[in-house]
Amino acid sequence: MELLEYAIIGGILYGIYFSLIGIGLNLIFGVMRIINLAHGQFIVLGGYAAWVVSRHFGFNPLWGVPLTIVAAVIIGYPLYYAVVPRLQRSQDPEMLSFILFFGIGQMLEALTLLGFGADQRSLPSEALGSGNIGVFGQAFPDSWWWAAGFSIAAIVALWLYFTRTRLGYATRAIMANRDEALATGISVNKVSALAFVAGLALAGIAGVFLPYLLGSVSPDQGSELTTTSFAIVIIGSLGNPLGTVIGGLVFGLGTMLMQTYYSSWSNLVPYVLLLVIVLIRPTGLLGKAVRSV
């Protein structure tokens, strides 16, 4: 019974963090209908940002959060205007985005390998607290709670943006119907560029906590993180940020239960969940709700 309690509570913490891992990918798809296959590489860059501020400047790794936001602005806007409008003028932007962002992801991975080497990098465990926090008799590292707290804050900030700001209303209008939003006078390009930058920033913030949740960060983690993010997005519902939260929780609980009882099979969790959801409910767990909106 204790093992089950540990797996459930740990799975919720893990799942909240993986909701943040996937939500940037879903935001970009929901607004622009393009698949950012470089998403995992941007998460990895967030991990290296935390490592650089900690190792080379002696700051707390949490300073990597504002650094990744600034980096997302500097990288995201030029990348958006150089790539996305051209993709959307093409006949098949989704397929072209697969190819283009796969190439960008490979370039980022090669540059990361060139800049930091192939070694795995970890962060000092005491930077986010060296103790444990217990709930219902089950204790988890302080860093897990930090990761869950930042993830919840980021998701709530995104929800407030969608529901309390004019730009958020415009973003939702574009997600519902891009052509109608354009016809009503919404600056689709401006709103899409902001969503693109926000998606990269969310990936970078998630990356700051990557060395704590997965033990280390290395250049070759990007592709696997993209696959996991894609599975989480599909489980919840492609194009629905709320669905990503549900997908992250399903993934977290599934992974922790497998790690607790059948650890050698835990790496199969995202692929099995993806297969099951696609076969049983191709639109994702919240797919029907999206259409009704």
Side-chain angles (χ1 to χ4, degrees):
M1 190 63 185
E2 287 188 3
L3 278 178
L4 181 61
E5 289 178 354
Y6 179 87
I8 291 174
I9 298 171
I12 292 172
L13 290 175
Y14 206 63
I16 291 170
Y17 171 69
F18 271 87
S19 299
L20 180 63
I21 287 271
I23 203 164
L25 178 69
N26 209 1
L27 176 64
I28 290 174
F29 178 82
V31 176
M32 284 153 267
R33 292 293 187 267
I34 60 174
I35 306 294
N36 177 15
L37 283 186
H39 183 73
Q41 280 77 14
F42 284 107
I43 295 172
V44 168
L45 287 177
Y48 277 105
W51 180 78
V52 167
V53 299
S54 174
R55 176 67 181 272
H56 292 284
F57 297 99
F59 296 152
N60 189 292
L62 291 179
W63 283 103
V65 172
L67 179 61
T68 57
I69 294 173
V70 172
V73 173
I74 294 172
I75 297 172
Y77 275 110
L79 182 60
Y80 172 85
Y81 285 107
V83 170
V84 177
R86 296 184 184 187
L87 276 178
Q88 290 176 330
R89 287 195 295 269
S90 67
Q91 292 184 342
D92 192 352
E94 293 182 20
M95 179 55 70
L96 280 179
S97 69
F98 262 106
I99 299 168
L100 186 61
F101 281 97
F102 175 77
I104 291 173
Q106 295 305 303
M107 287 173 57
L108 288 176
E109 184 172 326
L111 290 172
T112 309
L113 185 64
L114 191 64
F116 299 100
D119 294 339
Q120 297 180 338
R121 309 289 183 179
S122 59
L123 293 172
S125 58
E126 65 274 11
L128 299 185
S130 56
N132 296 301
I133 297 176
V135 174
F136 300 116
Q138 305 296 331
F140 296 92
D142 292 345
S143 56
W144 281 44
W145 294 96
W146 276 104
F150 265 81
S151 300
I152 291 172
I155 292 168
V156 169
L158 186 62
W159 176 77
L160 290 174
Y161 167 76
F162 278 133
T163 59
R164 298 288 189 275
T165 69
R166 295 186 64 179
L167 276 174
Y169 298 146
T171 306
R172 290 169 60 192
I174 295 170
M175 294 171 77
N177 191 310
R178 186 180 185 86
D179 292 333
E180 287 183 6
L182 195 61
T184 58
I186 293 174
S187 179
V188 172
N189 218 23
K190 177 182 173 183
V191 176
S192 297
L194 180 60
F196 187 78
V197 171
L200 298 190
L202 289 167
I205 293 170
V208 169
F209 299 95
L210 189 68
Y212 291 105
L213 271 292
L214 300 187
S216 62
V217 60
S218 60
D220 60 354
Q221 289 175 307
S223 298
E224 185 175 349
L225 285 167
T226 299
T227 304
T228 301
S229 304
F230 197 66
I232 290 169
V233 168
I234 295 295
I235 291 168
S237 178
L238 201 59
N240 183 351
L242 177 61
T244 308
V245 178
I246 304 296
L249 289 173
V250 171
F251 170 77
L253 286 167
T255 300
M256 287 302 293
L257 285 169
M258 289 298 288
Q259 285 183 353
T260 301
Y261 294 103
Y262 303 99
S263 58
S264 59
W265 294 83
S266 62
N267 289 337
L268 290 176
V269 169
Y271 308 106
V272 172
L273 287 173
L274 181 63
L275 184 63
V276 170
I277 291 295
V278 168
L279 289 175
I280 296 177
R281 196 177 175 85
T283 57
L285 295 176
L286 297 187
K288 188 174 181 180
V290 172
R291 285 191 174 88
S292 67
V293 172

